[in-house]
Amino acid sequence: TSHDGFLTLAEFEAILADDKVKAWLSIMELDIHETQEIFKILDDGDGLVSPDEFVSGILRLKGQARSQDVMRILHKCHNLSDEMSVMHARLDRLLPQPVVKQRASLFRKRSATRNCV
């Protein structure tokens, strides 16, 4: 590693290829076969995994494969939420407020109709 306290994807993959690390993960009941996906889950978006991100992420992944699936979904949901917030802020700047409120009201009505079916 670069010894800076953070892991890049390449460093993460190299560490997970180590037999001792594989044994430790096995003891933790973690089957990590998708290193890039796991890295994305652990990473907060800066392309690096800090020690805190690694430890807290690995502990959340501990258990059955379902935990990994849930973490992947949560990660994608957080990303989508962030993107929606950015889009909403852009719309607020571009459109007059009555138009934004009118569109939001229309969206809520459509969503309510879909949920009733």
Side-chain angles (χ1 to χ4, degrees):
T1 68
S2 60
H3 297 51
D4 61 359
F6 295 90
L7 295 174
T8 64
L9 176 57
E11 292 169 335
F12 184 73
E13 288 175 331
I15 287 172
L16 292 183
D18 183 277
D19 288 334
K20 290 179 184 177
V21 174
K22 286 180 185 179
W24 178 76
L25 291 172
S26 177
I27 291 169
M28 295 284 293
E29 299 177 357
L30 287 171
D31 178 26
I32 298 184
H33 54 277
E34 299 278 339
T35 55
Q36 290 183 358
E37 276 296 316
I38 300 298
F39 184 85
K40 287 178 187 176
I41 290 169
L42 299 177
D43 179 23
D44 65 3
D46 62 0
L48 300 170
V49 173
S50 71
D52 289 337
E53 289 170 338
F54 182 80
V55 172
S56 66
I58 290 295
L59 290 176
R60 286 187 308 210
L61 290 172
K62 187 180 181 305
Q64 298 178 6
R66 284 186 232 138
S67 298
Q68 291 181 13
D69 296 335
V70 170
M71 288 297 297
R72 185 178 300 117
I73 291 167
L74 284 173
H75 178 72
K76 289 181 180 183
C77 285
H78 287 296
N79 286 346
L80 286 172
S81 178
D82 292 345
E83 289 177 26
M84 292 297 294
S85 295
V86 169
M87 288 173 35
H88 182 74
R90 288 179 183 164
L91 278 175
D92 281 347
R93 286 193 304 268
L94 294 173
L95 298 174
Q97 276 304 330
V99 173
V100 172
K101 289 180 183 176
Q102 182 182 13
R103 287 180 186 227
S105 175
L106 180 62
F107 176 74
R108 280 192 293 278
K109 287 179 187 175
R110 285 182 183 165
S111 294
T113 304
R114 287 185 192 136
N115 291 335
C116 293
V117 175

